[in-house]
Amino acid sequence: MAEPAMSVTPYWELTFDADGDVDRAERDRLTAEVAARQVRDLVVFAHGWNSDRSGATRLYSRFFAPFPGLAPGARIGYVGVIWPSMRFSDEPIPDFPRSVAAEPARRPALDKDTRHALLESFPGRAPIVEQLARLLEQQPGLEAELAEFGRLVRLLVEVVAPGPQALFAADTVAEGVPQDEPAMFTRPAAEVCAEFAAALAQAEGAEGFSLPNPWDGAHELLRQATYYAMKRRAGTVGERGLGRVVGQLAAAAPGVRVHLVGHSFGGRLVSFALRGLPEGVRTVASVTLLQGAFSHYAFASRLPYDPRAGGVLQGQQHRVDGPLVCCHSRHDTALGTFYPLASRMACDAQGAVEEFGLGQLLGAKWGAMGHDGVQAVPGTRAMTLAEALRGPLPTSGCVNVDASAVVCRGGPPAGAHGDILHPELARVVVAAGRIDRPAA
């Protein structure tokens, strides 16, 4: 039975914890009922920065709503992935009610919803969250307080238990060693906050000669550090969680065709699920990434700036029995400005900005997939959204679809990052998976 707020049926949810462990009752129900209902096409959607089940369910209900009309003869099932992610409440989601996407709070203070999300996402760290909130509220003028803020941010997001977390956070590897661990935690916090504050002012079109408030940058440092933790967690849940479940589903219902869809870090999650598939499983018939918040080089075998290194997901697109479609938009400020700036903190970002200018660097070494698509993968096709909708889409390989025509709404700091509730994007998923074709 569908959830009360769900627009489609049959609908199931899969809930994962931060370590990728799935709710076994939900998993067993899914595998049993997909086979019993003779579902042929199963669309599995992973959210990005929704912080609770109700917000994720609303997103899935809105996105799934067009599917029955787009493929009326198909036997479609729907899955919503629930994983412990979060968003800052000053990041509005276009078309969502105010209860889900709060009005922007006065930056840089933390509003109660964001505090609650931090406490839920980082259990056991309540004293740290309260100290961070107090510093953002008071905005003390000494550099030492910014340094303390940076120290607290590191404590908030650090992985205490040993494990393979570093690899799940990295986007590139060389000789098996992660290459893009962020150094925004190791550089002087005052410098990092100043750079983030300048980027915020530029993204918001600030004019005049007043200096940016470094505490605006501190707020952004907390946001980016939280995103880094969610990025790491998305990889863990994808490979250790969803990939294994898809493998179990393939054994229980060998005729089902799985279509993985992910927004933001959910795109990273479903991509890492490919790496977690058991050997020989060819159940995944398509992957569609909506504003994917990970490196545009993640699938590359060789990096243009370092031929000894490759993407952490190199070759994983070949695990798909169909295309891997990446929808991207130039209006996504979160990925066009702040993602590469945070990633570049591993090098001398300030010097690079001074030498080349911020704009020149946005699509280069540290770019995000949701801003300019898959890069450095030979044979990748590039299409406009109109071309993709006219079809046909390629039946294999990587495909970049410029969705800027519809993914275009949203103010700073995220821009159009959350603007994905469009029937055109649902049509891309249907076309990528060939869901509307007659059953064999």
Side-chain angles (χ1 to χ4, degrees), residues 226-259:
T226 302
Y227 283 0
Y228 175 75
M230 295 305 106
K231 171 183 175 180
R232 179 179 61 211
R233 188 174 292 177
T236 304
V237 173
E239 180 168 341
R240 298 171 62 88
L242 182 59
R244 294 176 180 177
V245 171
V246 173
Q248 293 162 347
L249 180 64
V256 72
R257 304 169 69 246
V258 175
H259 309 279

Side-chain angles (χ1 to χ4, degrees), residues 15-394:
T15 303
F16 297 90
D17 66 15
D19 296 321
D21 293 326
V22 68
D23 183 304
R24 295 185 179 184
E26 291 179 345
R27 177 200 62 193
D28 293 346
R29 178 188 171 201
L30 171 68
T31 55
E33 293 187 6
V34 164
R37 290 173 175 261
Q38 297 183 318
V39 171
R40 178 175 180 266
D41 291 283
L42 188 69
V43 184
V44 181
F45 196 157
H47 65 75
W49 31 237
N50 289 280
S51 59
D52 57 32
R53 184 180 299 270
S54 63
T57 301
R58 279 193 181 91
L59 173 67
Y60 298 148
S61 184
R62 293 287 299 276
F63 191 83
F64 287 150
F67 278 75
L70 295 174
R75 300 194 303 272
I76 308 176
Y78 307 87
V79 175
V81 173
I82 308 296
W83 63 287
S85 181
M86 70 160 286
R87 69 175 180 87
F88 276 56
S89 66
D90 63 349
E91 297 176 22
I93 306 173
D95 296 331
F96 262 47
R98 188 171 300 177
S99 60
V100 178
E103 291 295 319
R106 180 186 65 84
R107 203 174 56 239
L110 286 183
D111 63 279
K112 65 177 183 178
D113 291 336
T114 300
R115 288 194 199 190
H116 176 73
L118 287 168
L119 293 171
E120 289 288 313
S121 298
F122 302 100
R125 290 176 168 82
I128 296 175
V129 172
E130 293 308 313
Q131 290 179 69
L132 289 168
R134 185 163 53 251
L135 285 170
L136 286 172
E137 183 66 38
Q138 295 174 353
Q139 302 184 49
L142 298 178
E143 188 172 307
E145 273 78 14
L146 283 172
E148 173 64 6
F149 186 88
R151 186 187 72 84
L152 292 169
V153 168
R154 289 194 298 273
L155 288 176
L156 178 69
V157 303
E158 71 178 353
V159 177
V160 178
Q165 294 298 310
L167 189 57
F168 289 123
D171 282 333
T172 58
V173 293
E175 299 178 353
V177 179
Q179 296 297 293
D180 52 358
E181 292 294 308
M184 60 180 162
F185 305 136
T186 60
R187 293 180 57 213
E191 293 181 11
V192 173
C193 293
E195 290 178 34
F196 277 135
L200 276 168
Q202 179 174 324
E204 295 175 351
E207 298 180 357
F209 299 99
S210 60
L211 292 176
N213 181 359
W215 286 100
D216 285 0
H219 185 275
E220 187 62 30
L221 171 61
L222 176 58
R223 186 198 309 272
Q224 293 297 335
T226 302
Y227 283 0
Y228 175 75
M230 295 305 106
K231 171 183 175 180
R232 179 179 61 211
R233 188 174 292 177
T236 304
V237 173
E239 180 168 341
R240 298 171 62 88
L242 182 59
R244 294 176 180 177
V245 171
V246 173
Q248 293 162 347
L249 180 64
V256 72
R257 304 169 69 246
V258 175
H259 309 279
L260 300 178
V261 184
H263 170 234
S264 187
F265 284 135
R268 180 182 179 84
L269 190 157
V270 300
S271 297
F272 268 74
L274 299 174
R275 206 168 74 170
L277 291 175
E279 191 67 30
V281 169
R282 301 290 294 176
T283 298
V284 177
S286 69
V287 174
T288 305
L289 309 176
L290 306 174
Q291 303 312 115
F294 58 116
S295 171
H296 53 195
Y297 293 134
F299 293 99
S301 297
R302 293 289 181 271
L303 304 185
Y305 58 87
D306 186 355
R308 300 166 301 173
V312 72
L313 296 172
Q314 55 186 281
Q316 293 300 319
Q317 67 272 20
H318 301 308
R319 304 294 307 273
V320 184
D321 191 23
L324 184 146
V325 177
C326 176
C327 294
H328 58 93
S329 171
R330 63 181 178 274
H331 304 297
D332 189 331
T333 311
L335 300 184
T337 299
F338 294 104
Y339 180 93
L341 182 57
S343 298
R344 285 197 308 274
M345 291 297 180
C347 67
D348 181 11
Q350 183 61 45
V353 169
E354 290 173 353
E355 181 177 357
F356 299 107
L358 183 61
Q360 284 184 260
L361 287 167
L362 295 184
K365 180 176 179 180
W366 304 106
M369 197 163 294
H371 186 251
D372 61 1
V374 175
Q375 301 294 317
V377 176
T380 298
R381 289 277 305 277
M383 311 178 77
T384 66
L385 180 61
E387 290 170 339
L389 296 179
R390 284 197 300 268
L393 284 173

